[in-house]
Amino acid sequence: MRALYALALCLLAGLLMSRVVKKLKLPAVTAYLVGGILIGPYCLGRLGIPGLGFISHEDVLQYKIISEVALGFIAFSIGNEFRLRQLKKTGRQATITAFCEALGATTVVTVVMIILHGIIGKKFPLDAAILLGAIATATAPAATLMVVRQYKANGPLTDILLPVVALDDAIALAVFAVFCSVVTSMNQGAISLISMLAEPILEIVLSLMLGAILGAALTFCEKFFFSNSKRLSLCLTFVILATALAMNTIEVAGFHLEFSGLLVCMMLGTVFCNTCHFSEDLMSKTDAWTAPIFILFFVFSGAELEFSVFSDIAIIGAGLLYILTRSLGKYLGAGIGSRVTGCDGNIVKWLGVTLLPQAGVALGMSLQATKTMGEAGLLVRNITLFAVLIYELFGPMLTKIALTKAGEISVKPTVVKKTNTGRMRHEKA
């Protein structure tokens, strides 16, 4: 019963805040995050009343399964952006640009953080500097996708943005695995090139293979159903199945490997949209019934944000430096990559701004750092938490601004209508 109260409260908080931020012309994602903060451990949760807000972060984590499924649907939707006819237009540009912006962020952050280590020494370990450089690569696809959907953004920038975000996470996983291997090898006094490259490559390949198999199976099974409701239910089944399978770990050639849920579900969507002839119509119908799940995902994300990091001035300083250098790296990398590939001027100018949001993947990496790197990992976790807090609150707003400046979010003209009472009413056309 308490779980149902909590879910109802989350939906209500997100919906009510969306009415508030609409007046401020902010994205709905921001409303959901703020709604989560308000019912989280640092606001309503402080009252300690079960069911009226989350009283602790452990309380929020009880609903992690919903967030995992929501991420699965987000990745599944992004897979729809990899239709072959679309890739023929933007595939080369998206791939090169994704590598440039991801590695640009990694390079700038790593260099600056190593310099910071050189200045203040042991207070900021070299391990932390290197791992933060890897985490800087990741971008949050959820916030970006929600802004695109809410404002029905359409144009060259939107066309390249979603594939870049999807590829970004694959690159981030590989970079983080390599950097972790470098840090481990440094601590052990030896660097193994095989261990650095084999594990991330295997994880990515196995994740894509699993997603491709599930995508082919989904297309095959869809042939036996003819109503949209049953076909949509089958999609739901396979996304949940893919999310569950991605939570498993396996042993391959002595390596302890984990699947990437984002890559598995993204590949599931990619194969399905390219092999099922009615997939386009079906994918467009998923928006309506996944909306409540996405609201819950962002409300939970807001409730999870860790405000205790503000108590340490050193974390705030390092966090601000990380935010500035990562933003610079993303912007410069995206600009260079899009310019080299001959992209539209608006893409060169605004793509980097849309790539700032950071959340789930980055937090997962920082959690992994705490498990393996001790105090350095804890420092990385706290800096990442601070950065995610800032990026999640301001990233969606910046994405909206960039898409608007690029002319891909249309501002509907105001028209005047006469009501039954004879009064004039202003409405959006």
Side-chain angles (χ1 to χ4, degrees):
M1 186 188 303
R2 181 183 166 190
L4 293 177
Y5 280 131
L7 293 178
L9 179 65
C10 287
L11 287 171
L12 185 62
L15 291 170
L16 290 178
M17 283 305 305
S18 70
R19 304 310 301 168
V20 175
V21 303
K22 187 175 183 180
K23 301 292 184 182
L24 302 174
K25 297 182 179 180
L26 295 174
V29 175
T30 304
Y32 305 147
L33 289 166
V34 173
I37 292 170
L38 292 177
I39 64 173
Y42 294 95
C43 291
L44 275 179
R46 283 194 174 274
L47 298 176
I49 303 174
L52 185 64
F54 298 106
I55 59 178
S56 66
H57 283 96
E58 290 70 24
D59 196 15
V60 182
L61 292 176
Q62 292 180 38
Y63 303 91
K64 187 174 178 61
I65 188 68
I66 296 176
S67 296
E68 294 289 347
V69 172
L71 273 176
F73 276 107
I74 289 164
F76 182 67
S77 298
I78 289 176
N80 191 45
E81 302 301 319
F82 287 91
R83 291 182 180 273
L84 291 178
R85 66 174 182 272
Q86 183 68 26
L87 288 178
K88 289 178 182 178
K89 299 178 183 177
T90 62
R92 172 179 165 274
Q93 292 175 327
T95 302
I96 294 175
T97 303
F99 273 95
C100 288
E101 57 87 10
L103 299 180
T106 296
T107 302
V108 174
V109 172
T110 302
V111 170
V112 172
M113 291 298 161
I114 289 176
I115 292 173
L116 181 63
H117 162 72
I119 294 172
I120 63 178
K122 293 182 179 179
K123 291 182 179 179
F124 190 77
L126 182 59
D127 294 3
I130 294 173
L131 291 180
L132 283 170
I135 292 172
T137 313
T139 300
T144 304
L145 180 65
M146 287 293 285
V147 172
V148 169
R149 282 186 174 182
Q150 180 186 351
Y151 296 102
K152 296 180 174 59
N154 185 41
L157 176 57
T158 305
D159 289 341
I160 197 173
L161 170 59
L162 294 178
V164 166
V165 170
L167 290 168
D168 183 278
D169 283 325
I171 298 167
L173 292 170
V175 171
F176 183 74
V178 170
F179 278 36
C180 277
S181 297
V182 170
V183 170
T184 302
S185 300
M186 285 169 50
N187 292 335
Q188 294 174 350
I191 296 179
S192 171
L193 187 61
I194 295 177
S195 63
M196 283 171 51
L197 299 178
E199 188 169 327
I201 290 174
L202 277 173
E203 287 186 0
I204 292 170
V205 170
L206 289 174
S207 296
L208 294 177
M209 285 176 59
L210 177 59
I213 292 169
L214 291 172
L218 174 57
T219 300
F220 176 76
C221 293
E222 289 282 13
K223 296 177 182 178
F224 299 99
F225 299 92
F226 304 98
S227 70
N228 280 335
S229 61
K230 288 185 173 61
R231 285 172 171 172
L232 285 169
S233 297
L234 192 62
C235 286
L236 171 66
T237 301
F238 269 81
V239 172
I240 293 175
L241 176 62
T243 303
L245 291 174
M247 291 180 177
N248 294 304
T249 57
I250 59 174
E251 291 282 345
V252 176
F255 293 104
H256 187 70
L257 302 175
E258 296 179 354
F259 291 101
S260 165
L262 284 172
L263 290 182
V264 172
C265 292
M266 183 191 74
M267 195 62 177
L268 166 65
T270 300
V271 172
F272 175 63
C273 76
N274 283 290
T275 56
C276 183
H277 69 276
F278 52 79
S279 64
E280 193 161 5
D281 179 58
L282 201 59
M283 295 286 271
S284 66
K285 289 182 170 63
T286 61
D287 293 355
W289 55 273
T290 55
I293 300 176
F294 290 167
I295 292 174
L296 289 173
F297 170 77
F298 286 105
V299 172
F300 288 140
S301 297
E304 278 186 278
L305 292 177
E306 180 59 76
F307 282 82
S308 63
V309 294
F310 285 116
S311 62
D312 190 336
I313 191 66
I315 296 297
I316 294 175
L320 288 174
L321 184 61
Y322 170 83
I323 290 169
L324 291 172
T325 53
R326 177 181 176 271
S327 300
L328 178 63
K330 286 282 183 182
Y331 185 80
L332 292 177
I336 292 170
S338 54
R339 187 178 289 108
V340 166
T341 54
C343 290
D344 181 82
N346 279 329
I347 296 176
V348 175
K349 187 175 182 180
W350 296 110
L351 179 61
V353 179
T354 65
L355 297 171
L356 299 184
Q358 191 174 45
V361 175
L363 290 176
M365 291 176 179
S366 67
L367 183 60
Q368 182 65 29
T370 62
K371 293 177 181 178
T372 56
M373 302 300 169
E375 290 186 8
L378 186 60
L379 179 62
V380 168
R381 175 71 172 173
N382 287 333
I383 292 173
T384 305
L385 284 168
F386 175 81
V388 165
L389 173 63
I390 303 302
Y391 277 129
E392 283 295 89
L393 290 176
F394 295 99
M397 179 177 61
L398 292 172
T399 299
K400 179 200 170 185
I401 291 172
L403 291 171
T404 303
K405 293 289 186 181
E408 302 194 7
I409 294 178
S410 60
V411 180
K412 296 182 180 179
T414 301
V415 297
V416 179
K417 290 186 177 181
K418 184 178 288 187
T419 65
N420 293 333
T421 61
R423 294 182 179 180
M424 308 306 288
R425 182 177 65 194
H426 296 269
E427 291 183 352
K428 295 292 185 181

